[in-house]
Each structure stands twice: as structure tokens, then as C-alpha cells.
Amino acid sequence: MNAQPLLIGGEWRQARELLGAFRAEDPTTGDPIGPAFPLCGAADLEAAISAASTVANELAAAPPERIAAFLEAYATGIEANAEALVDLAHAETALPKQPRLATVELPRTTNQLRLAAKAVRSYAWTQPVIDTATGLRAHRAPLSKPVLVFGPNNFPFAFNAVAGSDFASAIAARNPVIAKAHPSHPATSERLARIALVALQQAGLPSASVQLLYHFDYAAGSRLAGDARLGAVGFTGSRAGGLALKAAADKAGIPAYVELSSVNPVFLLPGALAERGTALAQEFFASCTMGSGQFCTNPGVVIVPQGTDGDAFVATATSHFAAAAPSVLFSRGVLDHLQHGVATLCEAGAEVLAGGTVGEPGFRYAPTLLSVDADTFLRAPKALQTEAFGPVSLLVRVRDVAQMAQVAQAFEGNLTGTIYSAIDGGDDTAWPTVAHALRPRVGRLIGNRMPTGVAVSPAMNHGGPYPSTGHPGFTAVGMPAAITRFTALHSYDNVPETQLPHELRDGNPDGIARLVDGVWRTNDLAHGAS
Amino acid sequence: MNAQPLLIGGEWRQARELLGAFRAEDPTTGDPIGPAFPLCGAADLEAAISAASTVANELAAAPPERIAAFLEAYATGIEANAEALVDLAHAETALPKQPRLATVELPRTTNQLRLAAKAVRSYAWTQPVIDTATGLRAHRAPLSKPVLVFGPNNFPFAFNAVAGSDFASAIAARNPVIAKAHPSHPATSERLARIALVALQQAGLPSASVQLLYHFDYAAGSRLAGDARLGAVGFTGSRAGGLALKAAADKAGIPAYVELSSVNPVFLLPGALAERGTALAQEFFASCTMGSGQFCTNPGVVIVPQGTDGDAFVATATSHFAAAAPSVLFSRGVLDHLQHGVATLCEAGAEVLAGGTVGEPGFRYAPTLLSVDADTFLRAPKALQTEAFGPVSLLVRVRDVAQMAQVAQAFEGNLTGTIYSAIDGGDDTAWPTVAHALRPRVGRLIGNRMPTGVAVSPAMNHGGPYPSTGHPGFTAVGMPAAITRFTALHSYDNVPETQLPHELRDGNPDGIARLVDGVWRTNDLAHGAS
């Protein structure tokens, strides 16, 4: 058996315990492509965590300048290899090169790395606090332990375990990373890691700051996530997988930031439907089928009033879905999961309006629209919130705005919730009725815009109440907020000034924003103030 | 069977399911005192969570002014009842009225409530972020679910489930509280809750914002902590109890902020010992025996170099411990736990230098000093870090500064770590050697000061790496940071300005500090900026 090497301890080396090998598959045909990659065993996981742990203190003490230089060099390296990366990712995921991979996702990834570098240079993620009355000073600091990152299937660049937001966040906070690539795009991940290793060396950081593993079995993954040497876990993927890892990490007291699942309910208020129902049907169809619907924030449930305007919306949406060719999905696993999800929805009372069929060759599924009445939804809200990851959405037909609010209250935690309202103000009384029910159940409340598209912004929340994620207080996207997940709060009490971290000293030559006695300031601390 | 009423849904009412009754005990005699309090059953827990859930949305929507008014009225009410409260707490805990209860802890508690009110009025805990490039706005918001708070035995006011930091933090973030009083001081807790209820009514908040339960069995507690209707759990107490609650909460995706145990290592560098060893021995003895040593931040392990200066420190400390009368502990449970802890330390190789004996009457234990050599400590670091909650400390004798660092590396996560160094600069090279090993293992790094005493400061960290707490990123003390534990991150994406929360609107008449495009500002948003 032969397989590509792993990146452990700064070296590309063969798996010590090669339990198997796998190849990526071309989603459009189902045929294997590219070289074989290792399914590795416990010895390799131990080597990875051991190597990462060895450099954790050195990385924690590294000058922020070097961290920023790495993130920027990595972004530049990705750009220099853009064509090759886009080719690999396209072959492994079937996502279109243009605009998705080349013009949207790759620039988004390098932008994210550079925003992380900016947060490093500004010290924004460290949140320095100085209290002159007590002399106490506090900030956020590295965990001084490795962060284990699991990448999802659906963003080969922007959420890649070795290049995405979790990766950039963990490294920005000066923690080593053990990256677990998604096995559906191993060659893309390998190429990224090769660029990362060069950038580490250019920046003068320990080369064991980044490890790359491709695949290991479920039990080994749980053991790794529960290893007390870890500082945190970052995961984006399926609910079952994320909850298993979270359970293992929880038991060992390791914070696990897991992004699990979301159906992202969209509420169409009556005025919006009356005003622009046909346009909304098109907007909805485009959002639901973009990227074959394989987004965490795909509009999976749409709440539509009964009556003429609602019926017209449904008719238009149905015709869009019915006319669409089958979408190519990432993998056999995604297709299986999707079929299972649609079956669950149908068993719970949903009716197929369009689609619902598998396509050929490779992994294809017809864009699918389902419908159910609100009374049925309210009788089986759990089953009818089953995530069908892919180009699938369920319409819920409600009698009135009051029932919309009832439906909103039946939702589990979601990443997003969207309300479409009339431009002419006709929904101004309906809005708060629905919004008050929806707001506590979602991380991001959206107005008049589909939920797909997650801006890398300091005010983004790509997170939400359980079970969309494991903790309602954190976002996986947006700098500097995403970085704080991988930090520890450190307080200094009567510690000599010369022994304080840079951003907590009296002098503040870099103009770092610090909360001094309750006021954000960028100046030096007045002499003798504490 | 007769017992004091529970506070549920704004009413003082008898337990519906009275499984038993208990009375407080006078720790100085062991005799029962005061009325009987209920051990309640599942029906009462259900009533409490149901009542709290019912008002969660109303409380989340309450004007911050009312929340602040409640916190301030409560503080004023506590002051008006200070004499009665101090009498009750003294009787139930045997803590001295002066200075501890009347002059230190009660004012600290009312100050904490007022600092929470201040954070409410300033919106500091909401951390508003505005990104004009994308139009996204985010802040921290209420959980819109109840918070379950478990109070510890050792602070009848400042950490009381119905008056302490977790309580003030949860209410400041506009979440209802289900308070589980510690059964060793039920009458104190009842009196506090009566004052709280009056203050709720004065402030015009829902009277079901606060429930008070006294005691329920272990299994019922775990079921409650894992009830999906809860927004979060706050717990301060024993490691076993906290981990059981955390496991239940984790499984349901409920953030559990548990403060578990800590031995708070203190490192005496050679120069400090040479300079002022005798004074340090007195300072250490006072810190270790104050409040009968029943502090989360008690100096439970002191690392002392071998040699003449170290021996002199040990001799002086031993004579202080040996001359001290037995300390009164809170309860039979504390005494049992302490004896078990000392036995574990001795079995692992520690030698008793002073104390080690039970006293009479009531719950008394002699201030106890133990010693072990560093080689033994390093062979059995787990057993020799057993927390012996009470007036007990273990000295670890080290060969040199290098071995000090080795010992530091062997510590689990702790709330605090302390380094004493020479004033004349003689320890300037030793400091970083020890500090680098210690820093990632503690929440608060302290210089030349004993760890007891936890200031209510915005730069405090009363938290630390696992297993001192369940998450290294949060503090249980200090406003506004402690409040953020009980919040959800909410983002607004293209939401009409009139539908935004107060602190995220364009106009900023209250001068709230907001992070606008990366800069903290207190002014209005420039017109049309987003």
C-alpha cells in the first residue's frame, strides 16, 4: 500500500501506521482521481499531537510580527498557486472555477488570512483591560496547547482545516494546529499545507506549528478530541460527527467549537409577497441551488402564507426547481445523507413539489422543493427540521402572521433566520411579531436578503444557539471575534511591569486599544496610574 | 413534615413534593439551628423552570434601566437588612461578623450588584460592533432562557446563588435565575431572596425573574442542569458535583460555567526567601488560615527551596500552624472532605509538620502544614495536588529554580499562581523561568501577594484552565466580563434601523462605546455610513 505523506513536525513523511488508503472522487462521474491518501492510525495521531505540543510554548512566545508575517506570506503563497489550487479543488469538489472557486472563495480565504494578520498586528483579539484602582491587568492569551481543526466538505479553501477561519484563528492566537482535512478534497488540502509550510519557514515560526492529517477512524478521532494535551477543537460538519467529538472534548474539559447543522428559516411576510413575490421566488431558487445548495446557511425552510400571493410564489418557485438540471454533489456520502433527509421530511408529511430524484452519472440530485402545511409542521417540528444538505428546501404554508410566529417558536437553534418585509412599510406590525419569536433562536437575523453568503466581517455571527453550534456566544467567521475562541483569559495581579505582556505595559507605543478604567484608550498609561 | 416555603413564580409557597427537610447547623457546636427547609422533588424543579421560562422573553425585552434599578434596589435592601443578614450568616457559617461578614463580604456583595448595574447602564457587556462596509451589526444579547445558579458554601453573600456574582451577571444580561442555595446557609439565602423579591417588584420586573430552591437530590440536579429549556448553568463548589452538572449540561448543549477546585501554587524564589522569609511565613500562615482556609484561592501548595533560608521559612511557618487553635469549618461535609484530602496527601508521601487533627465541639480542624520533597511530588503530582479545602497547605521542597519550573509544569489548571521575588532584583532571572512554566496553567498570575482576596475588578480573572474551571476563557468575578458568560452573540444583517436594538442604531445619544470599523467610538454613526 502506498499513500501520500502526512505533514507532522514540519516534515512530510509516510504514515507510520497506514491502516488504509483512499482517493478523491470526481463528483461528476464518481471515478477515483489523484493519488492515494492515508487513513492513518493511533501512532500517527500521537505523533501529530506530540509534535504540536512540543512547539506550543515556543509559538505562544513568538513575536506577533512573525505570526502576522506567516499569515500574510501564506495568503501570498495561495495567490501564487491560485491556478493549481483552483484546478485541484474543482476536480475534487465539482464547484465551478468561475466565479465560485477563483473569484469568490480563494480571494475570501486570502482576505481572511490577512484580516487575521491585521488583528494580530493591532492586538485587537487580546482585549487588554487595565484597572488602575486595583493594579489588575488582563488580556486574552494563547492556549499554549494545540488546536485540533476539522474542515468540512463544502469550502475547500475558506473553511479548509489548514487554511480556513478556524485555522487562521487558532494560529493568530499563537496556537499550533493539527488539521484534519476533509477526505473529499485531500489533494487541495495537501497543496495548501505545502504552501503553509513554506510560509512558516519564511516567517521564522516553528515548522511543527501546522500538522496535516487526512483521515482516521471515528474512534481514533474521538480519542484525539478528548486528549488532555489539546487546547481546543474546531469543527464544521455533520451533527452526528460534531456531537461525538464535542462529547469526547467536553469530558476532558476541552472547549469544542462545533458548527453542526442549520435549516435557516426564511419568513416571507404578506406585504413582501404581494409586492415582489415573483422576484422572491427567483431569489430563493438561486440561493437554494447555488453551489448545489451545499451551504451551512442554505435556506432550508421557507415560511409562506396561504392565499393567492403565497400560491403564486409557490408556483413560480416550483417551476424554477422543476426546470433545473440535477445538481452535482460533493460525494456519495452527501448524496446518501440528502436522500435520507428528504425521505425523513416526506415521512413526516412533506409533499414533493419538484425534484426528489437522483441523477447520473456521479453524485447528482435534482433541485428539490417540498411543501407542508403549518399544522403538520407544528405537530412534528423535529422531523420537519431535518437538514437535507443540498439543493433542497421545504415550504411551510401558514394561515397568518400569528401562525408564522408559532412556527418561528418551534425552531431549534439556527445559524440564521431571515424575514422578508414590504418596502412600502406594509409589514411593519408583522415584523416584530415574527422577529421576537425568531431572534433568540438564531445567530444572525437577516432582513430582505437570502442567508447564503457569509461576509468575513467583525460584526458577523456565523454561529448560533444549540444545536446549530455548541455554544451561543461565539462566531466561527469574522476577525477578531473568531480568534477569541482559541484563547485563555489571563489576569496579572501585582506583577512587575517588566514581566507584563507587551499590550499590558504602561507604555503603549503601538497605540493598542485598551480598556483602561472602563474607557477604551490608545495612549500610554499615565505615570504612576496603577 | 413542615418546611420553609420555596420562591417560585414570584410567590413563597410550600414545596409541592416535599421529599424531606433539613436544618442548618451551628458549625461551632454541630447543633441544628433555625427552621426546617425543604428537600424538594421533581415537581418543584419543574415548577421553577417553567415559571422562569415563562418570563424569559419579557425579561429579555425589559428596559435596561429597570434591570439596573433592580440591582441597585437590591443592594440598598441588603444594606438596610445588613444586621439581620450578618447575624444569620454568622450563625450558619461561623464566619466572624467583624471584619469578614459585615465589613468585607456584605459591602463587596452590594458593590458587585452596583457594578453590574453600572455595566447595564453603560451597555458595556453588550459589546456592540458595527461594520459599515457590510452593514452588519452585532452585540451580546440575553439568552432568553433561565440561568441555573448553584451557590457554594464559602461566601454566604458574595457568591450566594441569589445575590452573588453569577446571580448579578445572569440578571444583568436580562436572564431569569433559578437559584439553588447552598444548604449550609439556607436562612441567609431565604432572607436575601425576600429582599430580592421586593426589589423586583419595586423595579417593575417580572417577579418570576428569581426562584429560590434549597436542596434537591443529585439525580434531580443533573436532570435540571440538562433541561434544554435552560440557557446556562453557573456553579461554584466541589469538583465532583460540578463535573456531574457539567456533564449533564454539556450533553444538552447548555454552557456550564463551573468553578471546581484549585490549589493555587505559591512559589517562593530564593531571593525573596533570603530577603524576608520570616515575614513571608507569617503572611502565608495568615492567608492559609483566614476564614478557616475555606477560599477557592487558598494557598494550598507552597514551593520552597531547600537550604537554610527555606528551612527557616518552614520552621517559622510550622510554629505558626502549631500554635493555632483548631479552625471552625462550615459543615460536617467540609470536615469529612478535608480529612479525606489530608489522608490522600499523606498516603502519597506528604509528612505532617503541624496540625492534622480534628477539634471539638462542632466541625473543627487544626490548621495543618504538610511537606513533601519535589522528587516525590513529581512522581505523584496528581495525588499531591488533591485539594484539602480548609486551613491546610502542602510545602514542596525543591532543589533549585530549575526544579521549581519542573514542579510548575506538573500542575493542573489552577485559578491562581503566585511568585514571590526579591525586591532587590535578585530573582530577575529566576522569575521568567518559573513564570513561563506557570503562566499557561493559571487564570491569574500574582506577584508578591497571597492569592486570597479576589477584587471585583474588570481586569480580574476568577477562572482558569481545566480542571479549575470548565472553560479557560471566562471569569466568574468582575464586571462586565462575568456577565458575558450569560449572553448570546447576535448579528443583524440588513435589518431595518428601527428594528435594531438600542445600542446598534445609528444615533448614540447615550454615548455607548461601540467598535465601529475597528475603532471604539461613542458618537453617532455618520449619516448614511452603512
Side-chain angles (χ1 to χ4, degrees), chain B residues 72-150:
Chain B
E72 289 164 351
Y74 190 17
T76 304
I78 288 172
E79 284 163 350
N81 289 272
E83 200 178 329
L85 285 165
V86 167
D87 285 347
L88 285 169
H90 172 67
E92 294 187 324
T93 66
L95 290 170
K97 292 188 187 185
Q98 287 292 353
R100 165 67 188 262
L101 290 170
T103 312
V104 179
E105 192 179 334
L106 191 139
R108 175 207 164 105
T109 308
T110 54
N111 177 45
Q112 193 161 249
L113 290 164
R114 292 194 175 102
L115 288 171
K118 193 179 161 197
V120 167
R121 289 190 200 281
S122 71
Y123 290 77
W125 67 270
T126 68
Q127 302 175 1
V129 180
I130 297 177
D131 178 29
T132 62
T134 58
L136 285 158
R137 304 181 185 205
H139 73 153
R140 301 206 157 271
L143 295 167
S144 295
K145 289 182 168 184
V147 174
L148 175 62
V149 177
F150 291 82

Side-chain angles (χ1 to χ4, degrees), chain B residues 480-493:
Chain B
I483 300 173
T484 60
R485 295 175 298 161
F486 303 118
T487 66
L489 182 60
H490 279 184
S491 180
Y492 289 84
D493 187 351

Side-chain angles (χ1 to χ4, degrees), chain A residues 131 136 138 140 246 250 257 431 439 443-447 449 457 459 461 471-473 489 491-494 499, chain B residues 131 136 140 246 250 257 431 439 443-447 449 457 459 461 471-473 489 491-494 499:
Chain A
D131 178 27
L136 285 157
R140 300 206 157 271
K246 178 178 182 296
D250 283 343
Y257 302 98
W431 171 285
R439 177 67 275 190
R444 177 165 52 118
L445 184 68
I446 307 171
R449 181 182 282 177
S457 156
N461 182 12
H471 195 298
L489 182 59
S491 179
Y492 289 84
D493 188 350
N494 202 37
Q499 306 293 349
Chain B
D131 178 29
L136 285 158
R140 301 206 157 271
K246 178 179 183 292
D250 283 342
Y257 302 98
W431 171 285
R439 177 67 274 192
R444 177 166 51 119
L445 184 68
I446 307 171
R449 182 181 281 176
S457 156
N461 181 12
H471 195 299
L489 182 60
S491 180
Y492 289 84
D493 187 351
N494 202 37
Q499 306 294 348

Side-chain angles (χ1 to χ4, degrees), chain A residues 3-6 8 13-20 38-41 44:
Chain A
Q4 293 297 99
L6 306 169
I8 295 180
R13 62 165 186 70
Q14 292 301 313
R16 281 182 200 156
E17 195 181 351
L18 189 62
L19 299 184
L39 169 72
C40 67
D44 296 295

